[in-house]
Amino acid sequence: MDPFPKDGESAAGGEPSRGAAPSSGVVVQVREKKGPLRAAIPYMPFPVAVICLFLNTFVPGLGTFVSAFTVLCGARTDLPDRHMCCVFWLNIAAALIQILTAIVMVGWIMSIFWGMDMVILASNYSRKGFPYTL
């Protein structure tokens, strides 16, 4: 007989251990780290976000360009420590990247994903019950 019991067995006869303490679970928290361009996407009202998604789908970068002006109207972003004008220019830069790289389809795909992120942020923001500042 093996002097050390195998996993799940007791030392007395090879039966699974009963009454043993359950294995302790580990709580893991995942936090998404956003880059400055991604964090500059404003939290807009849901209808405005859907319009920006529609614009980004058919004219790459146009919805992102429109969303930049919502920042000037007071829309919140995930960059609270940056000035409003800096966040505005980050959104304009994202729109220009989408427009200039749309020729090789990268900008078009990025533009559609950007619009989907706007809608997701708007739906999560409205679900939490936060008032919009627009």
Side-chain angles (χ1 to χ4, degrees), residues 75-125:
R76 295 182 181 145
T77 63
D78 288 332
L79 295 173
D81 55 339
R82 299 243 178 136
H83 193 267
M84 182 187 316
C85 290
C86 179
V87 177
F88 169 76
W89 287 111
L90 282 171
N91 279 295
I92 295 294
L96 288 175
I97 290 169
Q98 291 169 7
I99 291 168
L100 294 175
T101 59
I103 299 168
V104 291
M105 297 298 290
V106 173
W108 201 350
I109 294 168
M110 177 186 174
S111 183
I112 293 170
F113 278 110
W114 216 259
M116 289 176 12
D117 283 342
M118 289 178 203
V119 171
I120 290 168
L121 287 175
S123 66
N124 289 343
Y125 196 67

Side-chain angles (χ1 to χ4, degrees), residues 13-127:
E15 295 179 15
S17 60
R18 294 186 187 139
S23 62
S24 62
V26 177
V27 177
V28 178
Q29 183 179 7
V30 178
R31 197 174 294 172
E32 181 183 6
K33 184 177 179 185
K34 300 176 181 177
L37 282 179
R38 171 69 171 79
I41 297 175
Y43 292 93
M44 299 176 283
F46 190 77
V48 176
V50 170
I51 290 169
C52 288
L53 170 61
F54 182 78
L55 292 173
N56 270 349
T57 302
F58 295 104
V59 182
L62 184 60
T64 307
F65 186 75
V66 169
S67 74
F69 288 97
T70 64
V71 173
L72 294 179
C73 294
R76 295 182 181 145
T77 63
D78 288 332
L79 295 173
D81 55 339
R82 299 243 178 136
H83 193 267
M84 182 187 316
C85 290
C86 179
V87 177
F88 169 76
W89 287 111
L90 282 171
N91 279 295
I92 295 294
L96 288 175
I97 290 169
Q98 291 169 7
I99 291 168
L100 294 175
T101 59
I103 299 168
V104 291
M105 297 298 290
V106 173
W108 201 350
I109 294 168
M110 177 186 174
S111 183
I112 293 170
F113 278 110
W114 216 259
M116 289 176 12
D117 283 342
M118 289 178 203
V119 171
I120 290 168
L121 287 175
S123 66
N124 289 343
Y125 196 67
S126 64
R127 196 176 310 135

